[in-house]
Amino acid sequence: MNRLTLYSFPFLLTVALLLVSNGCNTTGGPGSGGLVTNAGAAEEVYVAPGQYDEFYAFLSGGFSGQIGVYGLPSGRLLKVIPVFSVDAEKAYGFNEETKPMLNTSFGFIPWDDAHHPELSQTKGQTDGRWIFINGNNTPRIARVDLSTFETAEIIEIPNSGGNHSSPFTTENTEYVVAGTRFGVPYPQNDVAISSYAENFKGMLTFIKVNPESGEMEIAFQVLLPAFDYDLAHSGKGKSHGWTFFTSYNTELKNTLLEVNASQNDKDFIAAINWKKAEEYLAQGKFKEIPARYAHNMYSDETHQATSTMEEKVKVLLPEECPGLVYFLPTPKSPHGVDVDPTGEYIVGNGKLSADLTVHSFSKMLAAIENQSFETTIAGIPVLKYEEVVGGVVKEPGLGPLHTEFDGNGNAYTTFFISSEIVKWKVGTWEVLDRVPCYYSVGHLMIPGGDSQHPQGKYMLAMNKITKDRYLPTGPELNQSAQLYDISGDKMRLLLDFPTVGEPHYAQGISADRVVPRVLKFYPIEENKHPYAALGEKQAKVVRQGNEVHVYMTTIRSHFAPDNIEGIKVGDKVFFHVTNLEQDWDVPHGFAVMGNDNSEILIMPGQTETSVWEPKRPGVFPFYCTDFCSALHQEMQGYIRISPANSTLPLKWSLGEDIVQ
Ligand code: RUQ
Ligand code: CUA
């Protein structure tokens, strides 16, 4: 087939032209666009020394696999939370305690691609308890505890590939969801790729969240045709009980998707009635199928993670569960799907569509009631487009991706190709304002902007291309976020700031919902780590065959013990370091020369373990890596390694010269 004809319809031509002329200044010099004309902007983002920001912003790290925590309006980076990627700074994935967090059915995986942070909600409002995020590449969902700002749990998603439409929550965090982007063979198997249409499926997963502990558990999966499920959002208010997933590649193609998956005029939003699913589950109308997936939990008491392999999941088949799934035709390869705060409107951001389609939840219910079906696919009724569409925003821009809401009846949609954000009125569909983004905006975030109760003061645009916005840093530039004031009629650009990794989605929350919950240190009396030394008197070194366990403590400004002898080449040395401090922000670090491992950084009251297999005899220094007191530089010690055949007895001490 002549590929040109596929591209030739006028809209894609326009797209192509715009891609070429997407006016970035690539020749050097500061970006000319987006100059802040309003002189007060600097003051509006200025957070005076010693003052706190009003909002936390959690930006996904994309290919860094982490979450970046920023303050708004300042844009200051507060912390990087390692989630799916090892982090030598914090020993995440390097110490013995956190290695199980990165275990999967494929074994230990040191990296993933994290896209969509999603705050927990209570009654449709962000509650500051947890933030969830998806791992895309090896499908997983993580839960970060916002009292410690540490990853507390990771669950793998079986029967999935490219966990992109994930982990959007319901209004009381009953569920977080996970939809597969890639169709994969079901069950996973060695089949011809060309058998895509017969053998591949698309699975949507609902993960139940324990309301007290936050613990996740796969409640059920729904087996669908092998479309690419791109994004999701759950209903709220009147549409609570439903979750909506966008899809593209309803053409079921497995090659050259840029052309082949753009054939259909309309793809679908899959509407899943999860309350109905609960009824079917209760009636036993599911298939229990074998599925291996890891479930990893970190305990703040033992300061250790455990990884459990789960063996099966419950799968619901739409053919056998009428009323569980409906398809809403949506032009054209929709990316984001966003539900307005009332729960009535479902925005399908058709990235190749000239208009923005908004479905009406009430009309959807009526269409279901009246059986206004266009057709049925794999037992799933396709509702008639005219019967479900609630409104159309006419030619708002090019390449819509994502929409958020301000809680005052306005919506804000990003347009990647025309590189702008457009504000429009929910219900009248009129365009109210537009601002350019520098450059090529992907997601946007308004604190609470996907909940029932947005805190609509600021809007953050996360841009895919940075080009000339900052001092050049070689071929790679950090991604860029832009902060806008949306409290008035017109959006006003306030600030640019660089971000870590590639932010896809983000979440924001006023600081007052988080700060009171934040832990300052781990109470030492609650430390149940099996190798903790809860005081200097408990410091010791124990040999078990060729394993040597060093029970070590830290307090300003020494290690106990700080001299160790009697360890041999061929031994495996476990340094279990307990930080005895009971004070905010006094971690100690530990590193020993020649260890092929990261440092460990132990929080007050915590125990962490670094493993070292010394390769050659000698006396090797260890020291504290975190400047902890005026005598931090004195916080050091020695470990003597003898040849493998040495008979030197184990000996350790603090405050005395070892005599033999
Ligand atoms: S994506 S730029 Cu990974 Cu959420 Cu839309
Ligand atoms: Cu402890 Cu520096």
Side-chain angles (χ1 to χ4, degrees):
M1 185 183 314
N2 176 357
R3 210 181 292 160
L4 267 179
T5 59
L6 293 172
Y7 278 119
S8 68
F9 64 95
F11 175 68
L12 276 187
L13 254 184
T14 324
V15 166
L17 284 172
L18 271 150
L19 276 172
V20 174
S21 65
N22 183 9
C24 327
N25 171 5
T26 54
T27 51
S32 50
L35 289 180
V36 174
T37 45
N38 126 62
E43 251 168 54
E44 290 176 61
V45 300
Y46 181 68
V47 177
Q51 299 297 302
Y52 285 171
D53 278 287
E54 187 181 350
F55 291 92
Y56 283 97
F58 298 90
L59 277 61
S60 69
F63 43 67
S64 83
Q66 305 158 328
I67 293 178
V69 185
Y70 299 78
L72 295 182
S74 73
R76 297 184 294 193
L77 177 65
L78 305 176
K79 183 175 182 178
V80 173
I81 305 171
V83 183
F84 295 111
S85 294
V86 296
D87 182 346
E89 177 193 335
K90 300 179 173 74
Y92 184 78
F94 289 98
N95 61 23
E96 294 308 292
E97 286 76 8
T98 54
K99 279 179 187 166
M101 290 304 282
L102 299 177
N103 191 40
T104 70
S105 63
F106 300 90
F108 177 89
I109 293 188
W111 169 87
D112 212 312
D113 181 21
H115 282 214
H116 306 121
E118 180 81 352
L119 285 162
S120 57
Q121 295 181 17
T122 303
K123 297 194 177 127
Q125 179 165 304
T126 56
D127 59 21
R129 300 209 287 166
W130 310 300
I131 190 157
F132 301 86
I133 189 163
N134 61 324
N136 236 321
N137 184 51
T138 303
R140 284 171 284 174
I141 291 181
R143 178 174 56 88
V144 170
D145 189 322
L146 291 184
S147 64
T148 58
F149 283 62
E150 303 277 359
T151 304
E153 185 177 7
I154 295 182
I155 194 166
E156 193 179 351
I157 312 295
N159 299 315
S160 188
N163 176 38
H164 195 260
S165 37
S166 170
F168 303 93
T169 183
T170 56
E171 69 181 23
N172 295 299
T173 322
E174 291 93 342
Y175 294 95
V176 290
V177 303
T180 192
R181 167 176 165 202
F182 303 112
V184 285
Y186 173 82
Q188 186 54 274
N189 201 2
D190 164 29
V191 296
I193 299 169
S194 58
S195 70
Y196 191 93
E198 308 109 75
N199 287 328
F200 288 48
K201 292 285 177 207
M203 195 71 98
L204 306 182
T205 306
F206 283 70
I207 297 105
K208 186 117 203 118
V209 179
N210 182 294
E212 265 79 53
S213 66
E215 200 174 322
M216 299 184 282
E217 174 198 356
I218 296 183
F220 61 94
Q221 300 194 304
V222 183
L223 189 68
L224 294 182
F227 308 155
D228 286 42
Y229 297 91
D230 203 9
L231 278 150
H233 261 107
S234 291
K236 49 188 81 126
K238 61 165 76 167
S239 52
H240 180 58
W242 292 77
T243 300
F244 306 94
F245 294 84
T246 44
S247 70
Y248 63 100
N249 194 24
T250 52
E251 296 84 354
L252 296 175
K253 297 299 189 214
N254 56 276
T255 183
L256 210 58
L257 258 58
E258 61 170 328
V259 179
N260 288 329
S262 305
Q263 299 307 298
N264 291 349
D265 238 20
K266 298 193 179 69
D267 298 280
F268 301 121
I269 287 175
I272 309 282
N273 184 341
W274 55 259
K275 289 207 170 146
K276 201 64 178 187
E278 289 176 341
E279 290 169 23
Y280 284 125
L281 285 176
Q283 294 162 18
K285 277 214 165 173
F286 55 84
K287 258 176 73 180
E288 197 151 57
I289 62 150
R292 266 172 68 74
Y293 58 100
H295 186 188
N296 311 330
M297 296 278 291
Y298 183 86
S299 157
D300 286 345
E301 281 198 336
T302 64
H303 301 287
Q304 287 182 316
T306 47
S307 178
T308 316
M309 223 28 97
E310 308 279 356
E311 302 293 343
K312 48 189 180 234
V313 280
K314 294 171 178 159
V315 175
L316 298 173
L317 305 175
E319 295 92 323
E320 295 170 12
C321 301
L324 177 63
V325 192
Y326 296 93
F327 284 145
L328 285 65
T330 307
K332 187 172 171 77
S333 300
H335 185 56
V337 53
D338 301 289
V339 182
D340 88 306
T342 69
E344 167 63 10
Y345 293 111
I346 302 143
V347 183
N349 303 266
K351 60 184 186 280
L352 301 180
S353 164
D355 300 327
L356 196 62
T357 305
V358 185
H359 294 304
S360 151
F361 180 72
S362 327
K363 288 183 79 177
M364 181 190 97
L365 289 186
I368 292 170
E369 183 74 32
N370 303 332
Q371 308 221 328
S372 301
F373 304 151
E374 226 161 63
T375 175
T376 298
I377 300 175
I380 301 157
V382 179
L383 300 171
K384 286 197 178 132
Y385 174 74
E386 311 73 50
E387 301 289 320
V388 292
V389 68
V392 171
V393 186
K394 290 275 180 211
E395 296 184 5
L398 289 172
L401 292 183
H402 298 284
T403 299
E404 293 256 295
F405 305 89
D406 64 5
N408 299 315
N410 303 307
Y412 302 75
T413 300
T414 58
F415 291 86
F416 178 81
I417 296 167
S418 50
S419 192
E420 60 187 335
I421 293 179
V422 173
K423 175 180 178 181
W424 50 276
K425 185 119 211 106
V426 178
T428 68
W429 324 119
E430 63 196 302
V431 170
L432 302 173
D433 189 25
R434 60 179 69 234
V435 284
C437 295
Y438 302 89
Y439 301 95
S440 302
V441 59
H443 276 275
L444 78 171
M445 179 276 279
I446 293 170
D450 69 336
S451 74
Q452 256 185 302
H453 304 285
Q455 304 181 289
K457 180 170 178 184
Y458 298 112
M459 173 184 74
L460 192 70
M462 284 154 281
N463 305 323
K464 298 299 188 189
I465 295 170
T466 303
K467 295 281 190 201
D468 52 10
R469 300 299 286 181
Y470 308 119
L471 286 174
T473 51
E476 196 200 7
L477 298 155
N478 259 344
Q479 247 83 1
S480 175
Q482 295 191 290
L483 184 74
Y484 296 81
D485 174 355
I486 55 164
S487 59
D489 286 345
K490 297 276 170 203
M491 299 175 270
R492 285 186 311 125
L493 178 62
L494 300 177
L495 179 72
D496 273 27
F497 64 92
T499 61
V500 179
E502 181 190 357
H504 286 252
Y505 199 28
Q507 293 270 279
I509 183 170
S510 58
D512 60 332
R513 294 187 193 168
V514 176
V515 172
R517 310 177 42 82
V518 174
L519 191 75
K520 296 212 161 76
F521 55 83
Y522 297 97
I524 191 87
E525 66 278 6
E526 289 170 20
N527 183 328
K528 301 222 167 59
H529 193 294
Y531 291 96
L534 297 181
E536 263 176 29
K537 289 212 177 70
Q538 294 181 19
K540 60 184 173 184
V541 182
V542 178
R543 175 180 287 284
Q544 291 169 336
N546 69 340
E547 284 193 358
V548 178
H549 292 271
V550 180
Y551 296 67
M552 188 181 268
T553 63
T554 63
I555 197 148
R556 279 163 287 180
S557 295
H558 58 266
F559 295 98
D562 66 358
N563 280 241
I564 303 169
E565 297 193 343
I567 293 174
K568 297 179 282 187
V569 171
D571 283 344
K572 190 171 183 182
V573 187
F574 293 77
F575 296 98
H576 307 288
V577 185
T578 302
N579 182 353
L580 300 176
E581 305 281 356
Q582 291 287 277
D583 191 2
W584 195 19
D585 194 27
V586 193
H588 292 285
F590 172 87
V592 56
M593 177 180 167
N595 190 1
D596 53 355
N597 206 340
S598 76
E599 65 157 351
I600 51 176
L601 195 63
I602 313 106
M603 297 304 127
Q606 199 178 34
T607 304
E608 284 193 26
T609 302
S610 177
V611 169
W612 181 41
E613 295 181 62
K615 301 287 184 317
R616 50 170 132 134
V619 176
F620 300 97
F622 58 83
Y623 72 102
C624 172
T625 50
D626 187 323
F627 207 108
C628 50
S629 76
L631 296 170
H632 154 80
Q633 211 61 350
E634 281 72 11
M635 194 163 172
Q636 63 177 56
Y638 288 103
I639 182 163
R640 174 178 169 188
I641 306 298
S642 302
N645 58 6
S646 159
T647 53
L648 192 70
L650 264 192
K651 199 154 189 198
W652 65 93
S653 66
L654 170 71
E656 65 183 70
D657 294 331
I658 297 182
V659 209
Q660 305 192 78

